[in-house]
Amino acid sequence: MSKTGYFTHPDCKKHEMGPGHPECPERLDAIEDRLLVTGLDVALERYEAPPAALADIELAHPRLHIAALRGLHDWLREDLEAGGPPYSQIDPDTSINAYTWPAALRAAGAAIAATDAVMAGEIENAFCAVRPPGHHATRDKAMGFCFFNNVAIAAKYALQRYNLQRVAVVDFDVHHGNGTEDILAGDPRALMVGIFQHPFYPYSGEHPAGPNMLNVPVPAYTRGMEIREIIDITWMPRLEEFKPELIFVSAGFDAHREDDMGQLGMTEQDYAWITMRIKDVARRFSKGRIVSCLEGGYALSALARSVEAHLRVLADV
Ligand SMILES: [Zn+2]
């Protein structure tokens, strides 16, 4: 049996936000191709992501936010049948098509199902190759390519369903995970550690929203080696002190130096290094349990190589 689960669903490739949009279905194709070419796919246990139950999404989002997205979805579909446009815009970067709602349910459902499989001991850790991503979705607002906060939903779910006392969220996307912070700030059962380019979209994170938030803003052009040093000094003592029983990862790969979305200098070797650090903490405190969810990463080749590096460490291959 493989120790690493790979959760995804075809619906996640049907959601798209218009021609030329960087958060595109080809991102998942690039990852899948890389896993096939490298043979890494055979080392992973593949799972089809189920749709999340609305009651579980409500752990992180008010019913009204969920109903608003559902309403927009129904309206778009009706409008489409009447010959209307294929997209409905939520903000300048974020829009829905006829498949956004089912894809968003599968993305959150992947994180929840991965949590269940890891907690049951079926697998040691998991990677959710899903879109839409989640870490910019606040309690009541879809933004920055995100609709439901997959990681925050699963973290809240893990706390409730398994009565855990301490879950950690590690976010290494180039952008601050403002949505996850909004949802988890002030909950002493959760610790979030993040590193992100600043000042940069979404222009938050400089002043943490709660004592359980460890935000590390870094300037543009910070290199991978410097980021490693910063992580060792800031994240590691805090994670060791917290002793998480389960670790979630907001795995965004847009801090890669080939990714034009940001201006940080990470490479796939740096992502492997970060994953090793996370794994060390997981081994010591959380029985190896890690649930990692795809967030950003828009340079397709760099994204695919970085996910491969991340997965090789998770799966020990
Ligand atoms: Zn990002």
Side-chain angles (χ1 to χ4, degrees):
M1 190 201 78
S2 174
K3 62 191 294 187
T4 298
Y6 184 85
F7 290 72
T8 191
H9 192 278
D11 282 355
C12 292
K13 291 187 197 172
K14 294 183 184 164
H15 156 67
E16 51 99 12
M17 298 189 279
H21 197 292
E23 206 291 277
C24 58
E26 290 77 12
R27 299 176 62 227
L28 296 185
D29 291 330
I31 293 169
E32 299 262 344
D33 287 354
R34 184 82 194 169
L35 298 186
L36 287 172
V37 163
T38 57
L40 187 52
D41 61 316
V42 299
L44 307 172
E45 191 74 31
R46 234 185 138 85
Y47 289 82
E48 180 153 290
L54 297 187
D56 291 335
I57 298 175
E58 283 175 22
L59 295 169
H61 299 285
R63 198 168 286 180
L64 200 62
H65 170 74
I66 303 166
L69 185 63
R70 178 67 209 238
L72 198 61
H73 167 78
D74 291 344
W75 175 83
L76 177 78
R77 289 202 85 126
E78 279 172 31
D79 214 36
L80 253 180
E81 278 167 31
Y87 307 102
S88 175
Q89 203 155 2
I90 289 184
D91 76 16
D93 310 315
T94 311
S95 47
I96 70 162
N97 75 350
Y99 299 97
T100 302
W101 172 258
L105 292 183
R106 298 283 179 178
I112 293 167
T115 301
D116 283 335
V118 164
M119 290 305 296
E122 270 174 49
I123 45 175
E124 189 175 293
N125 54 46
F127 180 73
C128 301
V130 292
R131 42 186 302 282
H135 77 152
H136 294 309
T138 68
R139 265 172 295 186
D140 56 8
K141 196 171 165 214
M143 61 179 276
F145 317 163
C146 303
F147 301 89
F148 296 141
N149 196 313
N150 309 319
V151 163
I153 290 167
K156 288 281 191 186
Y157 172 84
L159 289 167
Q160 177 176 290
R161 171 75 179 74
Y162 297 102
N163 202 23
L164 299 182
Q165 304 302 309
R166 294 175 312 280
V167 301
V169 174
V170 175
D171 188 330
F172 53 72
D173 191 277
V174 77
H175 303 98
H176 173 233
N178 62 303
T180 315
E181 176 172 74
D182 177 61
I183 293 163
L184 297 180
D187 186 339
R189 301 168 303 166
L191 168 70
M192 179 178 182
V193 301
I195 190 159
F196 48 87
Q197 184 177 328
H198 185 83
F200 198 44
Y201 184 89
Y203 305 100
S204 54
E206 197 178 6
H207 307 290
N212 61 328
M213 295 290 140
L214 175 61
N215 297 352
V216 186
V218 295
Y221 308 110
T222 304
R223 290 169 303 147
M225 279 301 172
E226 295 170 303
I227 289 173
R228 294 190 195 192
E229 280 174 34
I230 294 166
I231 284 175
D232 266 343
I233 295 166
T234 57
W235 285 7
M236 296 312 289
R238 196 67 190 273
L239 285 166
E240 284 164 14
E241 181 193 17
F242 186 69
K243 300 181 174 54
E245 297 163 286
L246 172 61
I247 302 175
F248 290 94
V249 182
S250 265
F253 299 94
D254 41 7
H256 196 285
R257 66 181 177 194
E258 290 170 29
D259 199 313
D260 293 336
M261 191 67 87
Q263 288 81 39
L264 294 185
M266 298 275 286
T267 62
E268 44 273 45
Q269 289 77 23
D270 296 315
Y271 289 117
W273 181 90
I274 292 184
T275 312
M276 278 183 237
R277 280 291 192 268
I278 296 168
K279 223 175 148 178
D280 283 345
V281 177
R283 260 201 209 111
R284 287 165 61 197
F285 304 111
S286 51
K287 300 179 183 166
R289 299 188 289 223
I290 300 168
V291 173
S292 176
C293 296
L294 181 65
E295 301 282 1
Y298 306 98
L300 297 183
S301 168
L303 168 67
R305 281 154 26 223
S306 300
V307 170
E308 181 199 347
H310 182 56
L311 277 169
R312 281 195 186 282
V313 176
L314 286 179
D316 269 330
V317 289

Short mmCIF file of all heavy atoms in Angstrom, two decimals, residues 23-60:
data_model
loop_
_atom_site.label_atom_id
_atom_site.label_comp_id
_atom_site.label_asym_id
_atom_site.label_seq_id
_atom_site.Cartn_x
_atom_site.Cartn_y
_atom_site.Cartn_z
N GLU A 23 -5.13 30.88 -13.77
CA GLU A 23 -5.61 29.77 -12.93
C GLU A 23 -6.47 28.88 -13.84
O GLU A 23 -7.69 28.93 -13.80
CB GLU A 23 -6.38 30.33 -11.73
CG GLU A 23 -6.36 29.40 -10.53
CD GLU A 23 -7.17 28.12 -10.75
OE1 GLU A 23 -8.39 28.15 -10.57
OE2 GLU A 23 -6.55 27.11 -11.16
N CYS A 24 -5.78 28.05 -14.62
CA CYS A 24 -6.43 27.36 -15.75
C CYS A 24 -6.40 25.83 -15.55
O CYS A 24 -5.59 25.31 -14.78
CB CYS A 24 -5.70 27.73 -17.04
SG CYS A 24 -3.95 27.29 -17.00
N PRO A 25 -7.28 25.12 -16.24
CA PRO A 25 -7.32 23.64 -16.12
C PRO A 25 -5.99 22.97 -16.49
O PRO A 25 -5.67 21.91 -15.95
CB PRO A 25 -8.41 23.24 -17.10
CG PRO A 25 -9.28 24.44 -17.25
CD PRO A 25 -8.37 25.63 -17.10
N GLU A 26 -5.23 23.61 -17.38
CA GLU A 26 -3.95 23.02 -17.81
C GLU A 26 -2.98 22.83 -16.65
O GLU A 26 -2.02 22.04 -16.74
CB GLU A 26 -3.31 23.88 -18.90
CG GLU A 26 -4.04 23.85 -20.24
CD GLU A 26 -5.31 24.70 -20.27
OE1 GLU A 26 -5.54 25.51 -19.34
OE2 GLU A 26 -6.10 24.54 -21.22
N ARG A 27 -3.19 23.55 -15.57
CA ARG A 27 -2.33 23.37 -14.39
C ARG A 27 -2.41 21.92 -13.90
O ARG A 27 -1.38 21.31 -13.58
CB ARG A 27 -2.76 24.32 -13.27
CG ARG A 27 -2.66 25.80 -13.65
CD ARG A 27 -3.19 26.69 -12.53
NE ARG A 27 -2.41 26.54 -11.32
CZ ARG A 27 -2.94 26.38 -10.12
NH1 ARG A 27 -4.24 26.36 -9.94
NH2 ARG A 27 -2.14 26.23 -9.08
N LEU A 28 -3.62 21.40 -13.82
CA LEU A 28 -3.76 20.01 -13.35
C LEU A 28 -3.23 19.03 -14.38
O LEU A 28 -2.63 18.00 -14.03
CB LEU A 28 -5.22 19.71 -12.99
CG LEU A 28 -5.80 20.51 -11.82
CD1 LEU A 28 -7.20 20.01 -11.50
CD2 LEU A 28 -4.92 20.41 -10.58
N ASP A 29 -3.42 19.33 -15.68
CA ASP A 29 -2.86 18.47 -16.73
C ASP A 29 -1.34 18.41 -16.63
O ASP A 29 -0.74 17.35 -16.78
CB ASP A 29 -3.25 19.01 -18.12
CG ASP A 29 -4.73 18.85 -18.41
OD1 ASP A 29 -5.34 17.90 -17.89
OD2 ASP A 29 -5.27 19.68 -19.17
N ALA A 30 -0.72 19.56 -16.39
CA ALA A 30 0.75 19.60 -16.30
C ALA A 30 1.24 18.72 -15.14
O ALA A 30 2.23 17.99 -15.27
CB ALA A 30 1.22 21.05 -16.10
N ILE A 31 0.52 18.78 -14.03
CA ILE A 31 0.91 17.95 -12.87
C ILE A 31 0.74 16.47 -13.20
O ILE A 31 1.65 15.66 -12.98
CB ILE A 31 0.07 18.35 -11.64
CG1 ILE A 31 0.44 19.77 -11.18
CG2 ILE A 31 0.25 17.34 -10.51
CD1 ILE A 31 -0.50 20.36 -10.14
N GLU A 32 -0.42 16.13 -13.76
CA GLU A 32 -0.69 14.71 -14.09
C GLU A 32 0.34 14.18 -15.09
O GLU A 32 0.84 13.06 -14.94
CB GLU A 32 -2.09 14.58 -14.70
CG GLU A 32 -3.20 15.03 -13.77
CD GLU A 32 -3.87 13.86 -13.05
OE1 GLU A 32 -3.68 12.72 -13.48
OE2 GLU A 32 -4.56 14.12 -12.04
N ASP A 33 0.64 14.97 -16.11
CA ASP A 33 1.62 14.55 -17.12
C ASP A 33 2.97 14.26 -16.47
O ASP A 33 3.64 13.28 -16.80
CB ASP A 33 1.80 15.63 -18.19
CG ASP A 33 0.60 15.72 -19.13
OD1 ASP A 33 -0.30 14.86 -19.01
OD2 ASP A 33 0.56 16.66 -19.95
N ARG A 34 3.36 15.15 -15.60
CA ARG A 34 4.66 15.00 -14.93
C ARG A 34 4.69 13.71 -14.09
O ARG A 34 5.69 13.00 -14.07
CB ARG A 34 4.90 16.22 -14.04
CG ARG A 34 6.23 16.26 -13.36
CD ARG A 34 7.31 16.78 -14.28
NE ARG A 34 8.63 16.50 -13.72
CZ ARG A 34 9.76 16.66 -14.40
NH1 ARG A 34 9.74 17.09 -15.65
NH2 ARG A 34 10.91 16.39 -13.83
N LEU A 35 3.61 13.43 -13.41
CA LEU A 35 3.56 12.21 -12.59
C LEU A 35 3.64 10.97 -13.47
O LEU A 35 4.29 9.97 -13.10
CB LEU A 35 2.28 12.18 -11.75
CG LEU A 35 2.11 13.32 -10.74
CD1 LEU A 35 0.87 13.09 -9.88
CD2 LEU A 35 3.34 13.45 -9.84
N LEU A 36 3.03 11.03 -14.65
CA LEU A 36 3.07 9.88 -15.57
C LEU A 36 4.47 9.70 -16.15
O LEU A 36 5.02 8.60 -16.16
CB LEU A 36 2.06 10.08 -16.71
CG LEU A 36 0.60 9.91 -16.34
CD1 LEU A 36 -0.30 10.32 -17.50
CD2 LEU A 36 0.31 8.46 -15.94
N VAL A 37 5.05 10.80 -16.62
CA VAL A 37 6.36 10.74 -17.28
C VAL A 37 7.44 10.25 -16.32
O VAL A 37 8.34 9.51 -16.69
CB VAL A 37 6.72 12.14 -17.85
CG1 VAL A 37 8.20 12.25 -18.16
CG2 VAL A 37 5.90 12.42 -19.10
N THR A 38 7.33 10.68 -15.05
CA THR A 38 8.36 10.31 -14.08
C THR A 38 8.06 8.96 -13.42
O THR A 38 8.88 8.45 -12.66
CB THR A 38 8.45 11.37 -12.97
OG1 THR A 38 7.14 11.50 -12.38
CG2 THR A 38 8.88 12.72 -13.52
N GLY A 39 6.88 8.42 -13.67
CA GLY A 39 6.52 7.15 -13.03
C GLY A 39 6.10 7.31 -11.59
O GLY A 39 5.83 6.32 -10.90
N LEU A 40 6.01 8.55 -11.13
CA LEU A 40 5.66 8.79 -9.73
C LEU A 40 4.21 8.39 -9.45
O LEU A 40 3.85 8.09 -8.31
CB LEU A 40 5.90 10.28 -9.42
CG LEU A 40 5.77 10.74 -7.98
CD1 LEU A 40 6.61 9.89 -7.03
CD2 LEU A 40 6.18 12.21 -7.86
N ASP A 41 3.39 8.38 -10.49
CA ASP A 41 1.96 8.06 -10.29
C ASP A 41 1.78 6.69 -9.65
O ASP A 41 0.86 6.50 -8.85
CB ASP A 41 1.20 8.15 -11.62
CG ASP A 41 1.71 7.16 -12.66
OD1 ASP A 41 2.94 7.05 -12.79
OD2 ASP A 41 0.90 6.50 -13.32
N VAL A 42 2.66 5.72 -9.97
CA VAL A 42 2.46 4.38 -9.42
C VAL A 42 2.80 4.31 -7.93
O VAL A 42 2.41 3.37 -7.25
CB VAL A 42 3.28 3.31 -10.18
CG1 VAL A 42 2.88 3.26 -11.65
CG2 VAL A 42 4.78 3.55 -10.04
N ALA A 43 3.48 5.32 -7.43
CA ALA A 43 3.83 5.34 -6.01
C ALA A 43 2.74 5.99 -5.17
O ALA A 43 2.86 6.08 -3.95
CB ALA A 43 5.15 6.09 -5.81
N LEU A 44 1.67 6.45 -5.83
CA LEU A 44 0.62 7.16 -5.11
C LEU A 44 -0.67 6.35 -5.12
O LEU A 44 -0.96 5.62 -6.07
CB LEU A 44 0.36 8.52 -5.77
CG LEU A 44 1.59 9.42 -5.96
CD1 LEU A 44 1.22 10.64 -6.80
CD2 LEU A 44 2.17 9.85 -4.61
N GLU A 45 -1.44 6.51 -4.06
CA GLU A 45 -2.75 5.88 -3.97
C GLU A 45 -3.77 6.89 -4.48
O GLU A 45 -3.95 7.94 -3.88
CB GLU A 45 -3.02 5.53 -2.49
CG GLU A 45 -4.19 4.65 -2.26
CD GLU A 45 -3.91 3.20 -2.67
OE1 GLU A 45 -2.75 2.76 -2.58
OE2 GLU A 45 -4.87 2.54 -3.11
N ARG A 46 -4.42 6.59 -5.61
CA ARG A 46 -5.32 7.56 -6.21
C ARG A 46 -6.72 7.48 -5.63
O ARG A 46 -7.28 6.40 -5.50
CB ARG A 46 -5.39 7.27 -7.72
CG ARG A 46 -5.09 8.45 -8.56
CD ARG A 46 -5.31 8.12 -10.03
NE ARG A 46 -5.98 9.25 -10.64
CZ ARG A 46 -5.33 10.30 -11.12
NH1 ARG A 46 -4.02 10.34 -11.06
NH2 ARG A 46 -5.99 11.30 -11.63
N TYR A 47 -7.26 8.63 -5.29
CA TYR A 47 -8.63 8.70 -4.77
C TYR A 47 -9.44 9.69 -5.61
O TYR A 47 -8.93 10.75 -5.98
CB TYR A 47 -8.66 9.24 -3.33
CG TYR A 47 -8.12 8.33 -2.27
CD1 TYR A 47 -6.75 8.24 -2.03
CD2 TYR A 47 -8.99 7.61 -1.44
CE1 TYR A 47 -6.25 7.43 -1.01
CE2 TYR A 47 -8.49 6.81 -0.42
CZ TYR A 47 -7.12 6.72 -0.21
OH TYR A 47 -6.64 5.93 0.80
N GLU A 48 -10.69 9.35 -5.86
CA GLU A 48 -11.59 10.31 -6.49
C GLU A 48 -12.22 11.17 -5.39
O GLU A 48 -12.80 10.65 -4.44
CB GLU A 48 -12.68 9.57 -7.26
CG GLU A 48 -13.64 10.51 -7.93
CD GLU A 48 -14.29 9.88 -9.18
OE1 GLU A 48 -13.58 9.69 -10.19
OE2 GLU A 48 -15.49 9.60 -9.11
N ALA A 49 -12.08 12.48 -5.52
CA ALA A 49 -12.60 13.38 -4.48
C ALA A 49 -14.12 13.41 -4.52
O ALA A 49 -14.71 13.64 -5.56
CB ALA A 49 -12.05 14.78 -4.69
N PRO A 50 -14.75 13.20 -3.36
CA PRO A 50 -16.21 13.33 -3.30
C PRO A 50 -16.59 14.81 -3.16
O PRO A 50 -15.76 15.63 -2.79
CB PRO A 50 -16.57 12.57 -2.01
CG PRO A 50 -15.36 12.77 -1.14
CD PRO A 50 -14.16 12.85 -2.07
N PRO A 51 -17.85 15.16 -3.46
CA PRO A 51 -18.25 16.55 -3.18
C PRO A 51 -18.38 16.76 -1.67
O PRO A 51 -18.81 15.86 -0.95
CB PRO A 51 -19.63 16.65 -3.87
CG PRO A 51 -20.13 15.25 -3.97
CD PRO A 51 -18.93 14.35 -4.03
N ALA A 52 -17.98 17.92 -1.20
CA ALA A 52 -18.12 18.22 0.23
C ALA A 52 -19.59 18.36 0.59
O ALA A 52 -20.39 18.84 -0.21
CB ALA A 52 -17.38 19.52 0.56
N ALA A 53 -19.93 17.93 1.80
CA ALA A 53 -21.28 18.18 2.33
C ALA A 53 -21.39 19.65 2.68
O ALA A 53 -20.43 20.23 3.22
CB ALA A 53 -21.53 17.31 3.55
N LEU A 54 -22.53 20.25 2.40
CA LEU A 54 -22.69 21.68 2.71
C LEU A 54 -22.50 21.93 4.20
O LEU A 54 -21.95 22.96 4.60
CB LEU A 54 -24.07 22.18 2.25
CG LEU A 54 -24.32 22.11 0.74
CD1 LEU A 54 -25.63 22.78 0.38
CD2 LEU A 54 -23.17 22.76 -0.05
N ALA A 55 -22.91 20.98 5.03
CA ALA A 55 -22.75 21.15 6.49
C ALA A 55 -21.28 21.28 6.86
O ALA A 55 -20.93 21.99 7.81
CB ALA A 55 -23.38 19.97 7.22
N ASP A 56 -20.41 20.61 6.11
CA ASP A 56 -18.97 20.72 6.40
C ASP A 56 -18.41 22.06 5.92
O ASP A 56 -17.56 22.67 6.58
CB ASP A 56 -18.21 19.55 5.77
CG ASP A 56 -18.53 18.23 6.45
OD1 ASP A 56 -18.92 18.26 7.64
OD2 ASP A 56 -18.40 17.17 5.81
N ILE A 57 -18.88 22.53 4.76
CA ILE A 57 -18.43 23.84 4.29
C ILE A 57 -18.86 24.92 5.28
O ILE A 57 -18.14 25.90 5.52
CB ILE A 57 -18.99 24.12 2.87
CG1 ILE A 57 -18.44 23.07 1.89
CG2 ILE A 57 -18.63 25.52 2.39
CD1 ILE A 57 -19.01 23.17 0.49
N GLU A 58 -20.01 24.70 5.91
CA GLU A 58 -20.51 25.67 6.89
C GLU A 58 -19.64 25.78 8.14
O GLU A 58 -19.81 26.70 8.94
CB GLU A 58 -21.95 25.32 7.30
CG GLU A 58 -22.97 25.71 6.25
CD GLU A 58 -24.38 25.25 6.61
OE1 GLU A 58 -24.66 25.02 7.81
OE2 GLU A 58 -25.21 25.13 5.70
N LEU A 59 -18.71 24.87 8.31
CA LEU A 59 -17.77 24.99 9.44
C LEU A 59 -16.87 26.21 9.25
O LEU A 59 -16.33 26.74 10.21
CB LEU A 59 -16.91 23.72 9.56
CG LEU A 59 -17.66 22.44 9.92
CD1 LEU A 59 -16.75 21.22 9.73
CD2 LEU A 59 -18.17 22.51 11.36
N ALA A 60 -16.69 26.65 7.99
CA ALA A 60 -15.80 27.77 7.72
C ALA A 60 -16.49 28.96 7.06
O ALA A 60 -15.95 30.07 7.08
CB ALA A 60 -14.64 27.31 6.84
#
